[in-house]
Amino acid sequence: MTVPKMSWRPTYRSSKFRNVYGKADNREECFDGIPITRSVHDSQFCAVNPKFLAIVTESAGGGSFLVIPVSKSGRIDPHYPKVCGHQGNVLDIKWNPFMDHVIASCSEDCSVRIWEIPEGGLRRNMTASALELHGHTRRVGLIEWHPTCSGLLFSAGYDNKIFLWNLEIGGPVKRIDCHSEVILCISLNADGTLLATTCKDNRLRLIEPRSGKVLQEADCKNHRVNRVVFLGNTRRLITTGVSQWNTRQVALWDQDDLTRPITEEEIDGLSGLLFPFYDADTHMLYLAGKGDGNIRYYEIHKEKPYLQYLMEFRSPSPQKGLGVMPKRGLDVGACEVFRFYKLVTLRGLVEPVSMIVPRRSETYQEDIYPMTPGTEPAVSPDEWLSGINRAPVLMSLKGSYKRPDQKALRASKRERRAMVVHGIDLLENIQPKRDSELLKLFFRQQDELKRLREELNHRDTRITQLELELKNLKNDCNSRPSCLRCGSPMSTSRPQPPSIS
């Protein structure tokens, strides 16, 4: 009987994003003194682009949000100008992906409004919007811009309807009425030809947005879906929800067959909503829980394992919501591949968190910065409504690359040396100044201990295997006949006759 050979290769795949780590900015680079909204609506309450940061604020007598230039970090004046034209609380805000000065907002007053922010930011309160869109009969909770056309906007309200607005004519061009309960999330694919929705009736729907026809529908009784996002051009979707044992869960779906998910993975037993963020350029998925302080990130594969866990950014400060900077606003010179703007309600703080790929090279890294969607729309509203589909117009980030200075380079090298513990060298004798720093250090030490335990277990297994192989070799040697003179094992093969030259 032949014993099959055992493979002792590591279980993880080789990946250039395996060592990605999260780095929170210093207090001087944060936005402090912001009265972040205390609304319980399941939204991000934050939107960001390379020029402006918008945050929904707590206010009396109507809804408002701040618009702050990204470069003006620090403590914000309590009397800083606001956008305050809504009659009810603002529930969602989104920047136009093609025009950095145009932002959309929706509110409890059943309206959707478009605002044009002046160059340099607000100098006084803005109450007059550029466009008001009325059509919903109940409050509007979600808005989403079309990914390839700058003049189309989707909105979902508590009246269980989705409106498609043409901003060039200032009115709706389509009303989608196929949901029986409140719509929880909407997501568009890369070219805007498919619309995915999750609903309170625990159903995942795939809709053709021009006609409003439901192409596929999945009944998610075992996986109560909350959020959904398309995974770029891979023809797959990711949903987050709750399993039948009330544990938070993430599921991967094939958009061509929604009968059952490709794979499901349980995350933890917490109760906060789990927000998914996908980066189509690096194929990385980020999971951030509402009320949590951590951000988990995975790499998506076409084959098993479909979801490969990479690392986790930990923080003691719970997050109310997260804004995501577009790729064209990242620091390419520092190998930054993703940036969050984290809302910390208890401290009135907006904290930038960067995801960085540690690299030693000082040149532009083309492998982690492929061509990405730019600021030029691919189609006009009339073209798209007539049935024309085009992929997003891509741009290169090489033009925004700046070689890091020596001071930043020395800091990045220190981070590389200690990147396994998120940028802090645990061997250095550093006295924490605050309780929060002590808690961060504790969590990072726990991560390092976990990694060392896994490495020790792997080596113990390898030692056991080597001892077994050595024992088999000794048994093989003992089974051979020995020479009477020297005691060494003799060959069992028949001797060959001497050759005659």
Side-chain angles (χ1 to χ4, degrees):
M1 179 179 179
T2 59
V3 179
K5 295 183 179 180
M6 299 181 66
S7 175
W8 294 100
R9 296 180 181 177
T11 56
Y12 58 82
R13 292 187 178 186
S14 176
S15 172
K16 56 191 171 186
F17 303 109
R18 188 164 57 92
N19 294 322
V20 172
Y21 66 94
K23 177 187 174 184
D25 285 354
N26 298 327
R27 189 62 180 259
E28 294 77 14
E29 298 171 345
C30 299
F31 300 83
D32 198 1
I34 298 177
I36 301 172
T37 179
R38 299 185 181 275
S39 173
V40 296
H41 180 68
D42 291 331
S43 180
Q44 302 297 338
F45 302 112
C46 179
V48 63
N49 64 22
K51 291 185 177 180
F52 298 106
L53 171 67
I55 311 105
V56 179
T57 60
E58 187 73 15
S59 60
S64 64
F65 59 93
L66 287 171
V67 177
I68 308 168
V70 173
S71 59
K72 294 183 179 180
S73 58
R75 187 160 190 86
I76 305 302
D77 187 353
H79 302 289
Y80 195 88
K82 298 181 178 66
V83 179
C84 50
H86 281 286
Q87 306 302 317
N89 292 332
V90 176
L91 300 181
D92 198 9
I93 50 176
K94 293 285 174 60
W95 288 103
N96 190 318
F98 308 102
M99 291 182 281
D100 289 339
H101 293 82
V102 176
I103 187 171
S105 63
C106 61
S107 169
E108 291 181 348
D109 61 6
C110 307
S111 70
V112 178
R113 304 195 183 200
I114 310 299
W115 311 85
E116 292 184 2
I117 307 301
E119 188 71 29
L122 299 177
R123 294 176 177 84
R124 60 182 64 87
N125 288 344
M126 177 179 286
T127 57
S129 59
L131 188 62
E132 294 186 20
L133 305 174
H134 295 276
H136 288 280
T137 56
R138 297 185 65 185
R139 56 180 177 171
V140 187
L142 300 169
I143 51 175
E144 195 71 39
W145 289 94
H146 195 280
T148 60
C149 179
S150 64
L152 295 177
L153 180 70
F154 291 85
S155 65
Y158 278 67
D159 54 3
N160 308 336
K161 296 178 178 59
I162 297 176
F163 279 84
L164 172 58
W165 306 90
N166 186 350
L167 304 186
E168 292 186 353
I169 64 174
V173 293
K174 186 63 185 177
R175 187 182 71 174
I176 301 174
D177 190 4
C178 60
H179 299 84
S180 59
E181 296 286 344
V182 175
I183 302 165
L184 301 177
C185 182
I186 58 176
S187 176
L188 289 152
N189 64 345
D191 58 359
T193 56
L194 290 176
L195 176 68
T197 66
T198 58
C199 185
K200 203 171 181 180
D201 60 3
N202 295 327
R203 291 183 179 272
L204 172 65
R205 293 176 175 87
L206 204 60
I207 303 170
E208 205 287 316
R210 291 190 184 95
S211 62
K213 179 182 178 182
V214 179
L215 303 179
Q216 291 191 65
E217 186 173 332
D219 190 359
C220 308
K221 292 182 179 179
N222 297 330
H223 171 70
R224 301 193 297 274
V225 292
N226 289 321
R227 289 293 180 269
V228 60
V229 63
F230 276 95
L231 301 183
N233 294 320
T234 61
R235 304 186 66 83
R236 291 181 177 179
L237 304 95
I238 278 285
T239 60
T240 60
V242 182
S243 68
Q244 54 186 340
W245 295 282
N246 290 327
T247 59
R248 294 196 296 190
Q249 197 177 47
V250 58
L252 178 67
W253 303 78
D254 184 357
Q255 74 176 37
D256 299 323
D257 184 11
L258 296 183
T259 54
R260 62 190 316 176
I262 299 174
T263 183
E264 295 178 345
E265 183 171 333
E266 293 188 359
I267 304 301
D268 54 33
L270 301 180
S271 59
L273 186 66
L274 206 58
F275 292 108
F277 303 91
Y278 181 68
D279 184 3
D281 296 338
T282 60
H283 304 289
M284 289 179 62
L285 174 70
Y286 301 87
L287 298 179
K290 186 176 181 180
D292 301 351
N294 54 357
I295 301 173
R296 300 175 178 89
Y297 37 104
Y298 302 74
E299 190 171 9
I300 305 295
H301 296 286
K302 295 182 180 179
E303 300 174 352
K304 291 183 179 180
Y306 301 103
L307 295 175
Q308 180 183 349
Y309 175 77
L310 296 176
M311 197 74 73
E312 181 177 1
F313 170 78
R314 290 177 179 263
S315 171
S317 303
Q319 54 222 7
K320 173 80 172 182
L322 293 165
V324 176
M325 173 68 76
K327 273 300 183 71
R328 52 193 175 87
L330 300 180
D331 187 356
V332 180
C335 295
E336 184 185 25
V337 294
F338 217 76
R339 189 192 303 167
F340 293 100
Y341 283 78
K342 175 180 171 180
L343 303 185
V344 184
T345 308
L346 299 178
R347 298 162 57 189
L349 186 72
V350 179
E351 180 184 41
V353 178
S354 300
M355 299 296 169
I356 299 174
V357 179
R359 290 288 176 90
R360 295 184 180 276
S361 177
E362 300 178 23
T363 59
Y364 177 70
Q365 306 294 309
E366 295 186 2
D367 59 331
I368 62 176
Y369 294 112
M371 299 288 286
T372 190
T375 58
E376 181 182 352
V379 292
S380 66
D382 293 337
E383 289 176 337
W384 187 83
L385 292 171
S386 65
I388 298 176
N389 297 323
R390 292 196 186 102
V393 180
L394 304 180
M395 62 175 289
S396 174
L397 299 179
K398 193 171 184 178
S400 60
Y401 172 76
K402 294 180 181 179
R403 185 174 180 178
D405 56 12
Q406 294 300 321
K407 183 178 180 181
L409 187 60
R410 287 194 297 269
S412 62
K413 287 183 178 179
R414 288 197 302 269
E415 290 165 0
R416 292 191 194 104
R417 288 197 299 267
M419 65 186 177
V420 293
V421 286
H422 307 275
I424 286 186
D425 190 353
L426 301 178
L427 300 178
E428 293 182 1
N429 187 14
I430 301 176
Q431 184 68 26
K433 298 179 180 179
R434 295 192 301 269
D435 292 342
S436 60
E437 295 180 359
L438 182 61
L439 193 57
K440 287 182 181 179
L441 189 61
F442 171 76
F443 283 131
R444 290 165 184 173
Q445 287 174 340
Q446 294 298 315
D447 291 341
E448 177 67 3
L449 290 175
K450 181 180 178 182
R451 186 188 68 82
L452 292 175
R453 288 193 192 99
E454 293 176 354
E455 184 177 353
L456 183 61
N457 292 334
H458 177 73
R459 291 186 179 182
D460 289 342
T461 308
R462 179 59 177 164
I463 291 173
T464 305
Q465 173 66 12
L466 291 176
E467 290 177 348
L468 181 61
E469 292 178 0
L470 182 59
K471 184 177 180 180
N472 292 336
L473 288 175
K474 288 181 178 180
N475 293 336
D476 189 22
C477 291
N478 293 333
S479 64
R480 296 181 182 179
S482 301
C483 177
L484 296 177
R485 180 176 299 176
C486 63
S488 61
M490 298 176 59
S491 176
T492 58
S493 60
R494 298 180 61 183
Q496 299 294 330
S499 60
I500 300 175
S501 57

